[in-house]
Amino acid sequence: MEKILYTGFKGKYNSSNKLVELLDGESLYLTNSFKGLRNDINTIEEVYDKILMFGLDKTLREEIRFEKVAMRERIEIQTKMEIKHYLELAQTNEITYTIADKPTHYLCNDAYYHMMCKMECPVLFVHIPSLKNMSDIFLDKLIEVFNK
């Protein structure tokens, strides 16, 4: 069985927090500050087969975005994660998705960058809607996709 770490951001009203709570696997909740999230990531000592990171994007509605790249100080890092499996699961569960090949520019990007630098295993970051922009049915579909 694969050893998976799921990460989301702290805050009971943060959709990434809620999703991670509902997934089967180890979890890490990241602090909502640049320094704090780096400290959180630096505490990881376990070895994982893969890491799935989640963050919210308030512009998304009943859809998700797979992030392929993170950047810091003009240094770009591509994910090593093979995402085909997740794309197929999203399609099977009728989840609309996009794949971004340009980095975002805030906490999510910083967390993604630091995680890929620290960990040897494949890491994937997925943006999900805020709680008000997704239904319970959609949340159930996300659980179905990412619990695999």
Side-chain angles (χ1 to χ4, degrees):
M1 181 135 190
E2 279 188 311
K3 188 170 182 180
I4 303 172
L5 175 66
Y6 296 105
T7 74
F9 285 87
K10 292 178 181 174
K12 68 180 180 177
Y13 299 112
N14 188 307
S15 57
S16 68
N17 182 304
K18 181 163 179 122
L19 175 59
V20 169
E21 282 179 357
L22 299 170
L23 294 170
D24 298 328
E26 294 185 39
S27 56
L28 174 67
Y29 299 96
L30 301 173
T31 304
N32 290 296
S33 73
F34 290 99
K35 184 178 179 184
L37 70 83
R38 287 182 205 135
N39 289 340
D40 296 336
I41 290 168
N42 288 335
T43 65
I44 300 171
E45 294 180 3
E46 296 287 325
V47 175
Y48 295 95
D49 295 310
K50 63 183 169 185
I51 298 172
L52 293 173
M53 303 180 76
F54 299 96
L56 77 85
D57 180 332
K58 293 177 184 177
T59 66
L60 296 175
R61 289 181 175 17
E62 300 274 321
E63 65 182 298
I64 60 176
R65 185 175 64 246
F66 294 95
E67 303 294 342
K68 290 181 68 176
V69 119
M71 183 167 49
R72 184 165 158 78
E73 297 174 8
R74 297 188 190 149
I75 299 170
E76 196 172 275
I77 302 174
Q78 298 256 347
T79 182
K80 295 185 274 183
M81 180 82 73
E82 175 51 59
I83 67 170
K84 182 180 177 187
H85 169 73
Y86 292 108
L87 301 180
E88 290 170 354
L89 286 170
Q91 288 173 338
T92 299
N93 286 279
E94 299 177 339
I95 294 176
T96 302
Y97 65 83
T98 55
I99 303 168
D101 57 5
K102 293 193 184 336
T104 60
H105 297 287
Y106 198 56
L107 285 173
C108 295
N109 174 71
D110 206 55
Y112 196 20
Y113 183 90
H114 284 288
M115 189 69 80
M116 285 195 287
C117 286
K118 176 174 174 44
M119 304 304 287
E120 303 266 328
C121 66
V123 178
L124 178 62
F125 198 101
V126 182
H127 274 104
I128 64 173
S130 64
L131 291 174
K132 72 177 186 173
N133 289 335
M134 74 168 129
S135 64
D136 289 341
I137 292 169
F138 187 79
L139 182 59
D140 290 341
K141 289 180 180 184
L142 292 179
I143 294 165
E144 184 66 28
V145 169
F146 295 109
N147 248 346
K148 310 253 179 211

